[in-house]
Amino acid sequence: MKPSRARYVFSLQMALAIFAFVLTVLALYWVFLVAPNEAILGISQKIFYFHVSSAMNMMLLYALCGLLSILYLALPNNKVAAMVDMLALASAEVGAMFGAIVLTSGPLWAKKAWGTWWTWEPRLTLSLLVFFLFFAYLALRLFAGQERFGRSVASGLAVVGLPGLYFIHVAVERWGGAHPQVVFKGGLTHPEMRTAFFLSVLATSALAALLVALRFSLARLERETDILYLELDSRFPSR
Amino acid sequence: MKSAVVIAFIIAGTAGFLVSPKSLNAQSAPQGRAAQAWEDGWKAGIEEAQESISGEAMVIAAYSVLWLIVFVFVLRLAVKLRTARRDLEELKRRVSELDGKGN
């Protein structure tokens, strides 16, 4: 990467980092100091704001990874395909991070709300399965290196995960379960609660964008290093 | 060809799901209070749970875990970025050194 371009990318990442930080502070302020406690669940409902926004980002990033994987499989082996693949990898990794947040903050809320850490209800079970699927994608990518075959197999796995995301989205509506449908079914009527929720969504989304950008930069650096190693080996075999 | 198979798989899976009867509800019911919550809706069992568990503790635990996960991820990313930049610089230096020798 040219130095001027690298500086530009760094400035963008810094701006995004500041934006994410300000939004996070604002969201936390609204969640804990402005939004009232929920009448039945009490203070434990505050977990909801970052739990749900993390879940939304997890779904979005996994979907992005799946769609980019389709594109990667369709493209010939060129620089664009490599870029698409690196973005898919970055999305999957950040998505897995949000998945870990969802699967740990969820049981903490469930214990208080439902009296149990875990139930095998459809949305929970599907979320866990999709999380494992993308974990498998990341594990495969770890061993694939720069090889097209390994990357294609991993991409196929990400594509298989796509219908799972749709099933998670409609799980409560179609199969029931203990998950509430709070946001779009008449829940969160208090305006401060709504503001807190939307600020949380914005904050986690900004964080997700920043982390994907950073992970993408790392993938580019790693690719550049690998290419340079190969060049070094071919030009100076006896070095 | 490969991508066509994958896209066909997605379309077939989604179509199959959409036409499936809602009687697929035959899931294994959870036990105890969770079963009650399952049957009566998400509000069931809340009052009983509220009496035994501190909400504050759960909120603190949830947000601690959340920020811990983010912190570990960012730290790991920062270390890997620094290492990758250093490796790349070292490699570029090596290539230019060998180029110099070659000339």
Side-chain angles (χ1 to χ4, degrees):
Chain A
M1 199 187 288
K2 288 175 187 169
S4 60
R5 197 174 163 193
R7 267 201 303 276
Y8 174 69
V9 170
F10 179 74
S11 308
L12 269 181
Q13 286 172 350
M14 278 304 288
L16 197 55
I18 293 166
F19 183 61
F21 178 75
V22 170
L23 273 175
T24 305
V25 171
L26 199 63
L28 286 172
Y29 170 77
W30 226 274
V31 166
F32 287 104
L33 299 173
V34 179
N37 284 351
E38 206 269 340
I40 300 164
L41 288 165
I43 195 169
S44 68
Q45 184 263 346
K46 307 263 184 208
I47 297 172
F48 154 88
Y49 297 106
F50 274 78
H51 169 75
V52 177
S53 51
S54 297
M56 287 167 86
N57 275 289
M58 175 195 82
M59 299 266 285
L60 208 71
L61 290 168
Y62 281 169
L64 184 67
C65 174
L67 293 172
L68 288 170
S69 296
I70 293 176
L71 194 60
Y72 175 72
L73 290 171
L75 285 169
N77 197 10
N78 57 22
K79 201 179 171 185
V80 178
M83 289 287 188
V84 165
D85 182 54
M86 284 188 280
L87 195 55
L89 173 66
S91 307
E93 210 170 290
V94 180
M97 186 204 79
F98 279 111
I101 289 173
V102 171
L103 290 170
T104 47
S105 63
L108 288 165
W109 187 25
K111 182 64 181 168
K112 184 72 183 164
W114 308 333
T116 181
W117 298 105
W118 186 269
T119 72
W120 293 102
E121 63 120 34
R123 179 168 279 180
L124 279 178
T125 311
L126 279 169
S127 299
L128 187 68
L129 283 175
V130 170
F131 177 73
F132 282 150
L133 201 70
F134 279 87
F135 214 78
Y137 167 87
L138 291 172
L140 257 174
R141 288 303 307 263
L142 205 64
F143 293 105
Q146 297 292 334
E147 275 183 34
R148 171 88 185 184
F149 176 73
R151 287 171 177 227
S152 298
V153 172
S155 297
L157 205 58
V159 174
V160 169
L162 272 179
L165 297 174
Y166 174 70
F167 296 155
I168 292 173
H169 181 65
V170 297
V172 178
E173 206 168 276
R174 278 188 88 86
W175 297 310
H179 261 92
Q181 294 199 346
V182 182
V183 184
F184 301 110
K185 300 282 177 183
L188 277 189
T189 47
H190 199 287
E192 302 299 359
M193 282 183 170
R194 277 186 178 270
T195 310
F197 175 65
F198 287 115
L199 279 172
S200 307
V201 172
L202 277 178
T204 44
S205 302
L207 181 68
L210 171 70
L211 294 178
V212 168
L214 287 172
R215 185 61 188 86
F216 181 72
S217 294
L218 176 64
R220 281 193 72 159
L221 281 174
E222 285 172 343
R223 184 169 182 268
E224 232 176 299
T225 310
D226 284 348
I227 289 170
L228 216 54
Y229 262 123
L230 288 174
E231 190 188 321
L232 201 65
D233 272 346
S234 62
R235 283 176 61 195
F236 309 102
S238 58
R239 71 190 156 88
Chain B
M1 180 61 194
K2 266 186 292 184
S3 51
V5 171
V6 167
I7 291 165
F9 174 81
I10 295 169
I11 292 169
T14 311
F17 172 74
L18 288 173
V19 298
S20 68
K22 289 204 173 182
S23 58
L24 283 173
N25 282 345
Q27 65 279 65
S28 58
Q31 303 297 310
R33 279 203 304 255
Q36 198 186 348
W38 182 277
E39 284 165 15
D40 302 341
W42 67 284
K43 286 181 182 174
I46 290 171
E47 284 173 14
E48 197 185 335
Q50 272 184 330
E51 286 165 12
S52 57
I53 307 155
S54 152
E56 286 87 351
M58 288 300 171
V59 172
I60 291 168
Y63 279 87
S64 304
V65 168
L66 190 157
W67 294 119
L68 185 73
I69 291 171
V70 172
F71 178 73
V72 168
F73 188 88
V74 170
L75 193 72
R76 180 180 152 273
L77 202 56
V79 169
K80 283 182 106 175
L81 265 168
R82 201 175 61 182
T83 312
R85 281 201 187 105
R86 203 178 48 208
D87 285 355
L88 190 61
E89 287 308 312
E90 172 68 22
L91 215 54
K92 278 179 180 169
R93 192 185 57 76
R94 194 85 197 274
V95 170
S96 61
E97 253 180 36
L98 287 166
D99 272 341
K101 275 183 193 172
N103 291 336

